[in-house]
Amino acid sequence: MNLTSFNPPRRILMGPGPSDISPQVLQAQSRPIIGHLDPLFVNMMDEIKALLQYAFQTTNQHTFAVSAPGSAGMETCFVNLVEPGDKVIVCINGVFGQRMLENVERCGGIAVVIEDAWGQPVSPAKVEQALQQHPDSKIVAFVHAETSTGVASDAQALCGLAKQHGCLSIVDAVTSVGGIPVLVDEWGIDAIYSGSQKCLSCVPGLSPVSFSPAAVEKLKGRKTKVQSWFLDQSLVMAYWSGEQKRSYHHTAPVTALYALHESLLMLHQEGLEQAWQRHAQQHALLAAGLDKLGLNLMVEIAYRLPQLNLVAVPEGVDEQAVRARLLNDYNLEIGAGLGQFAGKAWRIGLMGYAARQENVSLCLAALAEVLE
Ligand code: PLP
C-alpha cells in the first residue's frame, strides 16, 4: 500500500450536512492544544456556554455542547429524561422522528406514536388529541426541522400543548438553530439539542444541548440511574459548570471546541436575526432559480425550511448521475432523497456559511448545464 497524507478536494457543501465552514473556523481548529482543565480553556468553555445561550435564546444554566454528534444530543435528552415506564408522545414525520421512537423504546419508555405523512409538519391537533387520550403522558418529543423532508413543524404550538398538559418537551433542533427562529425560553422548550455541522457551520461531532429548570428537576428526581454513564447530565455538568472547581469527566475535544467557539462568535457578530434573514433570502433566490429551470420544490411554502430544499427529480432524469456530475465536475455536493423520497428528490442545503449568493448561483448554473 502506498500511503500518503489525505488531502481532500475543496467541495461546496450544499447537501443536508455537514455544511460549508468558514476558513476562520477551520483556522481556529488548528490553534495549539492546551489542557482541557487549563484555566484559559475553562474560560473559553464559559464563553461557549454564553454563546450557546444566545444561539438558543435561553437563560438556561444547563446549556453546553455534548462531545459527540447530534445523535448523542438526542440520546442525552432521552436517557436523562425518560425513565422506564414513562409515557412519551413521539411525533414522526420523517427519519429523525423515527429515531426518537427508537430512543424512547431503548429507555424503557412507553411510546404513543403520532404519525404525519413525510413532507407534512407534525399536526398539533393530533398531538392535542393524544394528550387528551393519554393524560398520564410525561413528555412530548418532536423534530422541529425534519432534514429528511425539509419541513418545519410549529415548535411553539407543540411545546405550548405539552406545557398545558403538564408534559415536558424534547425538541430536535439539529437543522433549525441558526437557520430559522428557535426561541427556547419564549416557546417553553424543556430539552433541546442541535448539531454543530448544520446552520452553525462548525466541524461535525458536537451537539449543543439545553435543559430548562423543569427538565433539570425531572433529572434530579429520577428513581433510577441514567442508563448511560457518558451522557448522564448530573455527571457531565460537574465538568461544564462546576462553579470555580471543575472535575474531570472526559477529555474534551479541545480543538473542535475552539472551532465551535469561533463559529458561535461569528453567529453572534452577524446577529441571529440577520442570519435567519440571510437563510430566507438565499432560499428565495434558489427557489426562483429552480422555478426558471422548471424544477419544483415539494414542500408547501407555509412550512418549507429555507435551509433544506426538497426538489422533485424530473421524470426520466437519473438523479444519482446528476449528483455524481455535480460532485465530479463542479465540486458541488447536493443530497439524495431519503426514505420515501429516495430516487424521487434531491435535498439542496443552504446551511450556515453555505447560504451565500455565490453558492446559489453556482448551484443553479451547474444544475442547468447538467440537466441539459
Ligand atoms: N436530527 C436531525 C434532524 C438531523 O438532521 C440529524 C443529522 O442529520 C441528526 C438528528 C443526527 O445528527 P448527527 O448526524 O450529527 O449524529
Side-chain angles (χ1 to χ4, degrees), residues 16 69-72 74 96 99 143 145 147 172 174-175 193 197-198:
S71 308
M74 182 187 283
F96 295 100
R99 284 200 190 170
V143 179
T147 326
D172 179 320
V174 169
T175 287
Y193 57 94
Q197 79 277 26
K198 310 266 188 191

Side-chain angles (χ1 to χ4, degrees), residues 68-202:
S71 308
M74 182 187 283
E75 289 217 26
T76 295
C77 293
F78 286 97
V79 296
N80 283 279
L81 300 179
V82 179
E83 279 200 88
D86 280 355
K87 198 174 258 189
V88 183
I89 296 186
V90 188
C91 308
I92 302 181
N93 62 338
V95 168
F96 295 100
Q98 190 67 41
R99 284 200 190 170
M100 285 183 149
L101 173 61
E102 273 283 325
N103 271 271
V104 171
E105 289 172 349
R106 283 165 194 248
C107 293
I110 301 164
V112 175
V113 176
I114 305 293
E115 282 199 82
D116 281 289
W118 283 48
Q120 292 293 317
V122 172
S123 153
K126 286 189 194 170
V127 170
E128 183 157 34
Q129 196 182 18
L131 283 163
Q132 278 160 1
Q133 281 168 356
H134 300 273
D136 52 341
S137 298
K138 301 269 172 59
I139 292 173
V140 174
F142 66 92
V143 179
H144 182 208
E146 243 307 341
T147 326
S148 58
T149 61
V151 166
S153 287
D154 186 344
Q156 184 172 18
L158 294 168
C159 292
L161 283 171
K163 199 131 287 174
Q164 266 171 38
H165 290 263
C167 288
L168 295 179
S169 50
I170 295 182
V171 180
D172 179 320
V174 169
T175 287
S176 48
V177 173
I180 52 172
V182 178
L183 308 177
V184 169
D185 288 356
E186 197 178 316
W187 296 351
I189 295 174
D190 289 300
I192 186 165
Y193 57 94
S194 189
S196 48
Q197 79 277 26
K198 310 266 188 191
C199 298
L200 295 177
S201 278
C202 180

Side-chain angles (χ1 to χ4, degrees), residues 33-45 239:
I33 291 262
I34 58 175
H36 70 123
L37 289 168
D38 185 312
L40 291 176
F41 190 74
V42 167
N43 189 47
M44 188 206 65
M45 287 168 71
Y239 176 50

Side-chain angles (χ1 to χ4, degrees), residues 116-358:
D116 281 289
W118 283 48
Q120 292 293 317
V122 172
S123 153
K126 286 189 194 170
V127 170
E128 183 157 34
Q129 196 182 18
L131 283 163
Q132 278 160 1
Q133 281 168 356
H134 300 273
D136 52 341
S137 298
K138 301 269 172 59
I139 292 173
V140 174
F142 66 92
V143 179
H144 182 208
E146 243 307 341
T147 326
S148 58
T149 61
V151 166
S153 287
D154 186 344
Q156 184 172 18
L158 294 168
C159 292
L161 283 171
K163 199 131 287 174
Q164 266 171 38
H165 290 263
C167 288
L168 295 179
S169 50
I170 295 182
V171 180
D172 179 320
V174 169
T175 287
S176 48
V177 173
I180 52 172
V182 178
L183 308 177
V184 169
D185 288 356
E186 197 178 316
W187 296 351
I189 295 174
D190 289 300
I192 186 165
Y193 57 94
S194 189
S196 48
Q197 79 277 26
K198 310 266 188 191
C199 298
L200 295 177
S201 278
C202 180
V203 293
L206 293 169
S207 180
V209 298
S210 184
F211 279 18
S212 72
V216 174
E217 270 312 296
K218 162 97 182 167
L219 172 60
K220 284 187 179 153
R222 283 182 68 111
K223 292 177 214 71
T224 53
K225 264 190 177 178
V226 171
Q227 75 198 52
S228 159
W229 177 86
F230 183 64
L231 300 176
D232 183 339
Q233 294 299 277
S234 46
L235 305 177
V236 181
M237 284 321 272
Y239 176 50
W240 268 88
S241 71
E243 271 101 43
Q244 255 100 74
K245 197 173 163 299
R246 309 257 176 155
S247 53
Y248 165 70
H249 176 265
H250 65 278
T251 308
V254 172
T255 53
L257 288 173
Y258 296 166
L260 183 63
H261 183 273
E262 196 71 24
S263 63
L264 290 170
L265 191 64
M266 286 179 71
L267 180 62
H268 189 257
Q269 283 164 351
E270 179 179 13
L272 263 182
E273 281 177 16
Q274 285 74 9
W276 300 333
Q277 253 174 39
R278 175 168 51 82
H279 283 86
Q281 280 161 358
Q282 297 311 316
H283 161 75
L285 280 179
L286 180 73
L290 290 171
D291 191 48
K292 277 201 191 129
L293 294 177
L295 294 170
N296 297 321
L297 287 170
M298 298 172 80
V299 172
E300 270 180 48
I301 288 181
Y303 36 84
R304 196 181 275 172
L305 286 171
Q307 65 271 50
L308 197 287
N309 298 272
L310 192 72
V311 183
V313 176
E315 278 286 307
V317 169
D318 178 346
E319 77 80 21
Q320 204 177 351
V322 170
R323 278 188 297 112
R325 273 208 57 200
L326 291 176
L327 192 67
N328 296 328
D329 298 354
Y330 300 85
N331 266 323
L332 173 65
E333 180 183 273
I334 65 167
L338 266 189
Q340 296 176 14
F341 293 116
K344 298 187 189 131
W346 292 301
R347 287 179 302 154
I348 301 183
L350 285 172
M351 296 184 181
Y353 190 66
R356 284 176 297 138
Q357 192 166 343
E358 66 208 72

